[in-house]
Amino acid sequence: MERIQSINPERIAWCCADHGITPSALAAELNIATISIERVMAGEDGLTFNQLRKIAEYFGRGVLFFLESGKVDEEQVHTAQFRTLANQKPELSAKLKILIERVEKQREVYLSLCEDLSNTDKIGFSSPDLHGENPREAARIARQWLGLSDRNSFDTYRESVEAQGILVFRSNGYNGKWQIAKENPILGFSLYYPTCPVIVIKKQYWESQQSFTLMHELGHLLLHKMSSIDDEHDLQSHKGKELAANAFAGHLLVPDAFLASIRDEERPDEVSQYDEWLERPRKAWGVSGEVILRRLLDAGRLPQDRYTAYRQWRAQSVVMLKDGGNRMYRHREPKNVFGDTFVRTVLDALDARYITLAKASSYLDNLKIIHLHQLERHIAGL
């Protein structure tokens, strides 16, 4: 098969270094003969078009990126938001880096479609003035800004955040390009832009766990006006910006008035019974038992050893989310991943004939046409 000429080996080397993989490991990952990679890195014609396409897809680039001459200008390739996250977590996996860039591209798609549809009001993010406010007061103001009621779920929290001009994506539970692997410690990240920021939440077994991550990332956007990437350690941190974001999320999800309704005298002796004790408020507020217990701990109403024991019990008993499963509702997955705002915008653009069915499919996780029509009916409530 004919080998491509003029492949720029410096760009392959840069991508490998950027994603923490060697050229030989890249060859093994993509089932390309090591000698082929070695030849192209030596400036020879070592790759076929299909092999170069595999490399481009792996790094989330276009094929032309590797045919351009000259060195890579990192400031043009990586956004300031991406570089901020990479600096916070320099050990980011290649797949997670690609996911971050993929999210940025989806945001660009969304902004472009809103412009075509003259829906610029949808991207009208306007943060409340929280400058100088402590996390408790900031959470009170943000709760009013979001228009939250006394009963909520992850879905209503997500809808309220999206209504304020913030895209909220959630990783897919199935193995694929929109998944954050269950063994990856990252629980979420946020990309700050003055216009249309983005929050990405890792799918977890219990949706109530996702609510805290969502509001923690919202805290970074509103309090710190910065991009952030967070793992389990960050969501338990007692230092700096992470402490402020945790306190903000806790007070927003469980305000003092909510906490006052918890009866300490009814607290069981066994931590394994805490979830049952807190079942009613957990379901009403759409939060995990741990969020309520953390608020009780911070308020001096729960001993540290009881909180620690509960977390240890919870870690041992949690059911891990499994990959795969029945995908009979494949047409609903784009809404679960990208949110109602993004999906409706794509479908509106399709209906207005600004984009083709093929384009709509590509923006919605490559849905088959039959599933795309099912999604249209689902969104229309039919």
Side-chain angles (χ1 to χ4, degrees):
M1 188 174 292
E2 185 178 354
R3 306 282 168 171
I4 297 180
Q5 299 178 355
S6 303
I7 296 176
N8 187 338
E10 288 188 3
R11 296 199 162 215
I12 294 180
W14 182 88
C15 284
C16 286
D18 188 50
H19 290 79
I21 190 172
T22 64
S24 58
L26 174 67
E29 178 79 14
L30 300 180
N31 197 27
I32 297 174
T34 303
I35 187 63
S36 297
I37 292 288
E38 291 175 347
R39 286 169 57 186
V40 79
M41 298 306 289
E44 302 174 14
D45 304 332
L47 296 174
T48 66
F49 177 81
N50 284 338
Q51 289 171 332
L52 183 59
R53 179 178 52 79
K54 282 184 179 181
I55 292 174
E57 290 178 352
Y58 181 84
F59 290 125
R61 307 285 169 203
V63 170
L64 291 179
F65 176 85
F66 298 96
L67 300 178
E68 294 179 7
S69 61
K71 296 182 178 180
V72 174
D73 184 343
E74 186 170 349
E75 292 195 1
Q76 289 186 355
V77 174
H78 287 323
T79 66
Q81 290 77 15
F82 180 96
R83 295 196 299 273
T84 296
L85 298 190
N87 290 337
Q88 291 177 32
K89 294 284 191 295
E91 71 282 4
L92 287 181
S93 68
K95 289 185 177 179
L96 194 54
K97 286 185 176 181
I98 292 172
L99 175 63
I100 294 168
E101 292 186 321
R102 190 171 286 130
V103 168
E104 291 181 320
K105 290 177 182 177
Q106 285 291 85
R107 174 183 176 271
E108 292 173 2
V109 166
Y110 174 71
L111 294 177
S112 176
L113 294 180
C114 284
E115 185 175 347
D116 289 341
L117 293 164
S118 299
N119 284 345
T120 52
D121 58 316
K122 280 191 174 184
I123 57 176
F125 170 65
S126 180
S127 172
D129 183 11
L130 303 181
H131 179 70
E133 302 290 355
N134 62 47
R136 175 186 277 107
E137 180 62 13
R140 184 191 67 79
I141 295 172
R143 193 174 175 89
Q144 293 180 340
W145 176 68
L146 292 170
L148 297 177
S149 68
D150 289 347
R151 299 185 66 87
N152 284 286
S153 63
F154 172 75
D155 287 339
T156 62
Y157 287 130
R158 181 182 192 173
E159 290 167 5
S160 297
V161 172
E162 287 188 329
Q164 295 300 329
I166 302 172
L167 288 175
V168 179
F169 293 172
R170 177 172 60 176
S171 70
N172 204 329
Y174 295 94
N175 185 26
K177 64 182 183 179
W178 292 103
Q179 184 198 47
I180 299 177
K182 62 183 180 182
E183 63 271 13
N184 193 307
I186 297 300
L187 296 178
F189 60 88
S190 50
L191 301 174
Y192 178 77
Y193 298 89
T195 299
C196 192
V198 187
I199 294 174
V200 178
I201 306 300
K202 179 180 181 178
K203 183 176 177 63
Q204 299 180 63
Y205 190 80
W206 303 109
E207 287 202 335
S208 57
Q209 295 174 306
Q210 300 165 171
S211 299
F212 188 83
T213 305
L214 172 62
M215 295 311 177
H216 178 97
E217 298 304 330
L218 181 65
H220 282 308
L221 295 179
L222 301 185
L223 295 175
H224 309 135
K225 301 188 185 306
M226 61 175 285
S227 301
S228 185
I229 186 165
D230 299 286
D231 54 26
E232 175 66 24
H233 174 76
D234 296 316
L235 270 66
Q236 293 293 327
S237 177
H238 295 276
K239 297 180 181 179
K241 290 183 171 62
E242 299 301 344
L243 172 61
N246 284 329
F248 171 85
H251 282 286
L252 192 151
L253 294 168
V254 186
D256 290 341
F258 286 20
L259 204 64
S261 67
I262 304 296
R263 301 179 64 88
D264 294 347
E265 66 272 15
E266 295 179 357
R267 187 176 71 234
D269 294 331
E270 298 294 328
V271 295
S272 60
Q273 298 174 8
Y274 280 8
D275 280 350
E276 183 178 354
W277 167 49
L278 298 172
E279 181 178 12
R280 182 175 296 177
R282 283 192 298 110
K283 291 183 176 180
W285 305 337
V287 300
S288 65
E290 184 174 345
V291 171
I292 301 175
L293 293 172
R294 177 64 179 267
R295 287 282 284 113
L296 290 171
L297 171 68
D298 292 342
R301 292 172 53 187
L302 181 73
Q304 178 68 58
D305 65 328
R306 293 288 79 197
Y307 176 73
T308 301
Y310 171 83
R311 291 200 72 234
Q312 292 172 343
W313 168 81
R314 189 68 179 166
Q316 294 171 356
S317 62
V318 67
V319 179
M320 297 301 293
L321 181 68
K322 297 181 179 179
D323 295 330
N326 190 335
R327 304 190 75 175
M328 65 180 294
Y329 296 112
R330 171 70 176 107
H331 65 286
R332 299 184 186 180
E333 289 178 20
K335 183 179 177 182
N336 292 332
V337 174
F338 307 123
D340 188 74
T341 298
F342 181 91
V343 169
R344 285 183 183 274
T345 299
V346 172
L347 295 181
D348 286 347
L350 175 63
D351 184 60
R353 299 186 179 181
Y354 286 117
I355 57 174
T356 64
L357 274 170
K359 274 292 185 184
S361 169
S362 69
Y363 297 155
L364 299 173
D365 194 22
N366 294 315
L367 273 187
K368 293 181 179 179
I369 300 303
I370 185 174
H371 292 145
L372 184 56
H373 291 317
Q374 287 178 314
L375 175 62
E376 288 178 306
R377 291 193 292 271
H378 172 66
I379 292 295
L382 301 177

